[in-house]
Amino acid sequence: MSEAVTPIGGTGTTALPAGFDPTAEAVEKTLCFRGFWAWFVLLLLIGICALFVMWLLRKCIQGPAYRKANRIDGKVVIVTGCNTGIGKETVLELARRGAKVYMACRDPGRCEAARIEIMDRTQNQQLFNRSLDLGSLESVRNFVARFKAEESRLDLLINNAGIMACPRSLTADGYEQQLGVNHLGHFLLTNLLLDRLKQSTPSRIVVVSSAAHLFGRINREDLMSERKYSKFFGAYSQSKLANILFTRKLSVLLKDTGVTVNCCHPGVVRTELNRHFAGPAWMKSALQVVSLYFFKTPRAGAQTTLRLALDPSLESSTGGYYSDSMRFPLVPWARSTDTADWLWRESEKLVGLPPIEPPPAQNGNGSTNGSANGNGSPGTAAAETVDTVVVNRS
Ligand SMILES: NC(=O)c1ccc[n+]([C@@H]2O[C@H](COP(=O)([O-])OP(=O)(O)OC[C@H]3O[C@@H](n4cnc5c(N)ncnc54)[C@H](OP(=O)(O)O)[C@@H]3O)[C@@H](O)[C@H]2O)c1
């Protein structure tokens, strides 16, 4: 049996199901509606929190930026390997601050493209495209000869260029490519420019190394990786450790000259450095996607270099290793004076420079005094008692 219900305000008679309570129905609808909004707001809050955490993490990954506004109008700067990546961003910022920059690159076409772009963006016309192949000692010497003919001063040298994990190959002079480009080329370049740096004090050298030095060892028996070649953990890491040992030794040699030298790890940066990555294509694509979020931008990667190059508060700091713009302590094998001395002497021989220091004293049985490692290399004690004789390399 059904009852006829007259709707409120209605005129006709509409049949409603038995037991239907319009008030309860209205309350239920309101509750459902509220439930929907409650879920919506909850999910929105979770989304906002997740986005905030991701933004925060991304900010942490990018590291601190160099924010001091000091200008370096007219200061003469050389940056190696600056047609792309960290080097290009470094030049961009130095140009914004008024520097006169010599862009030292191995590919003149790519260098010119970067130079024009930076000039357009900064309105600084004092940028110069210069040819430098760090894998050729002759090219390094030619670059220095031309630079010295053009400039009587050098305020800032940034050794930035680098290659990573390439298949084994040799430089024009027959040295293992990664050690040759990352260390030996820069070793010769810096030594040949020391006189200009000393004439322009206070002046600075910045060496871009890498945290990969943690995996590296200087292989005295096989420096050129002839017997065994491991492209990342062996040769690349060794070359980046060499950058640090070079920085530390040079800081001692340049003590009280007004020239400082520091090195840094720029972070893990999304650049062309992994161009020799040999994995499958899908892995390369996946890495590209992951790197969009988890790697630093080249601009962020340049910030530690920029702080070392620009920060007035670091004017007398030397021999340090920096990451995310902070000075970090080094592992024992990266602060070994014995290894640094050995590498310095070996590098001098390899690039054909006269010794900057007298050779370490020999003892009666033909080995050097204070040998610490039993493989015939000079020990720390001997090296530390030798007076430092800083000579001009020009
Ligand atoms: N990206 C990272 O995650 C990372 C991490 C730690 C350390 N680093 C260091 O940061 C520095 C800059 O690397 P990046 O990431 O900016 O790499 P990148 O984008 O590949 O730039 C490297 C630069 O070095 C130049 N270069 C390579 N071989 C050279 C040679 N024989 N002579 C002269 N220039 C040469 C390259 O020139 P071409 O374009 O002509 O090849 C390029 O301009 C390197 O020393 C690298 O070891 C990078």
Side-chain angles (χ1 to χ4, degrees):
M1 197 173 90
S2 67
E3 287 172 30
V5 177
T6 305
I8 301 161
T11 48
T13 56
T14 308
L16 287 175
F20 180 80
D21 178 351
T23 317
E25 177 70 6
V27 169
E28 197 167 312
K29 269 190 185 154
T30 310
L31 284 178
C32 282
F33 187 64
R34 282 192 190 153
F36 167 78
W37 278 108
W39 276 107
F40 179 77
V41 169
L42 186 71
L43 290 175
L44 195 69
L45 280 177
I46 291 172
I48 289 171
C49 285
L51 281 177
F52 178 70
V53 169
M54 282 178 74
W55 173 82
L56 211 61
L57 184 62
R58 176 89 180 134
K59 262 202 107 52
C60 291
I61 290 168
Q62 298 305 302
Y66 180 69
R67 294 203 188 280
K68 291 186 187 168
N70 56 309
R71 295 188 58 83
I72 51 166
D73 292 288
K75 296 273 185 202
V76 178
V77 181
I78 294 175
V79 183
T80 67
C82 55
N83 51 281
T84 184
I86 297 166
K88 185 177 167 190
E89 287 297 331
T90 304
V91 174
L92 181 69
E93 190 55 38
L94 296 175
R96 273 195 186 119
R97 292 166 187 258
K100 182 177 184 184
V101 188
Y102 284 81
M103 299 173 68
C105 304
R106 70 172 160 180
D107 182 334
R110 293 190 78 196
C111 189
E112 191 57 14
R115 187 179 81 95
I116 290 170
E117 184 193 324
I118 296 171
M119 285 199 311
D120 281 351
R121 289 171 69 182
T122 61
Q123 301 308 312
N124 181 341
Q125 303 301 309
Q126 295 287 293
L127 300 184
F128 304 96
N129 173 352
R130 293 291 177 267
S131 212
L132 169 69
D133 180 356
L134 289 156
S136 157
L137 299 178
E138 190 190 358
S139 170
V140 175
R141 288 184 185 278
N142 289 342
F143 169 85
V144 173
R146 184 173 178 190
F147 174 79
K148 286 187 172 177
E150 292 175 311
E151 286 291 345
S152 56
R153 60 180 300 117
L154 175 59
D155 301 280
L156 177 59
L157 169 64
I158 301 185
N159 292 341
N160 165 81
I163 43 167
M164 182 182 82
C166 53
R168 189 168 192 281
S169 58
L170 302 180
T171 65
D173 308 277
Y175 303 136
E176 187 280 312
Q177 192 75 235
Q178 299 193 67
L179 189 81
V181 170
N182 297 351
H183 168 61
L184 291 174
H186 281 127
F187 178 87
L188 179 62
L189 178 73
T190 310
N191 271 285
L192 293 179
L193 290 168
L194 281 182
D195 53 349
R196 284 288 186 278
L197 286 156
K198 286 186 207 160
Q199 283 162 19
S200 320
T201 54
S203 52
R204 301 181 186 197
I205 304 166
V206 180
V207 178
V208 183
S209 177
S210 168
H213 78 272
L214 293 169
F215 307 111
R217 298 292 184 277
I218 300 298
N219 190 343
R220 298 190 194 200
E221 279 75 39
D222 187 22
L223 193 62
M224 297 300 156
S225 311
E226 284 161 313
R227 284 179 233 158
K228 184 171 179 277
Y229 184 68
S230 158
K231 56 188 178 182
F232 181 81
F233 290 103
Y236 180 69
S237 304
Q238 173 178 252
S239 74
K240 289 290 144 181
L241 176 61
N243 288 158
I244 296 177
L245 293 165
F246 165 69
T247 301
R248 289 180 58 80
K249 176 71 185 173
L250 188 57
S251 72
V252 175
L253 293 170
L254 292 176
K255 193 166 180 278
D256 299 329
T257 61
V259 187
T260 62
V261 52
N262 289 289
C263 60
C264 66
H265 165 61
V268 181
V269 190
R270 192 179 145 83
T271 64
E272 296 173 29
L273 193 65
N274 65 357
R275 65 185 89 181
H276 295 291
F277 180 78
W282 68 265
M283 207 186 265
K284 203 165 185 171
S285 310
L287 190 68
Q288 287 298 321
V289 174
V290 169
S291 69
L292 275 172
Y293 178 77
F294 285 102
F295 287 17
K296 283 185 178 181
T297 61
R299 184 175 163 71
Q303 298 306 308
T304 306
T305 301
L306 288 169
R307 175 161 190 239
L308 292 176
L310 295 167
D311 194 341
S313 73
L314 294 183
E315 186 139 305
S316 55
S317 297
T318 191
Y321 170 75
Y322 291 74
S323 179
D324 273 340
S325 297
M326 287 175 292
R327 191 166 176 155
F328 275 81
L330 284 164
V331 288
W333 57 96
R335 54 183 153 82
S336 159
T337 48
D338 177 37
T339 313
D341 291 343
W342 181 86
L343 181 68
W344 187 279
R345 284 192 301 275
E346 203 60 24
S347 305
E348 281 177 331
K349 282 185 230 156
L350 292 169
V351 302
L353 284 176
I356 210 163
E357 290 178 330
Q362 303 268 315
N363 64 24
N365 59 21
S367 65
T368 52
N369 284 338
S371 180
N373 51 18
N375 65 5
S377 57
T380 316
E384 280 176 351
T385 53
V386 173
D387 278 347
T388 299
V389 184
V390 181
V391 294
N392 266 345
R393 297 295 204 178
S394 52

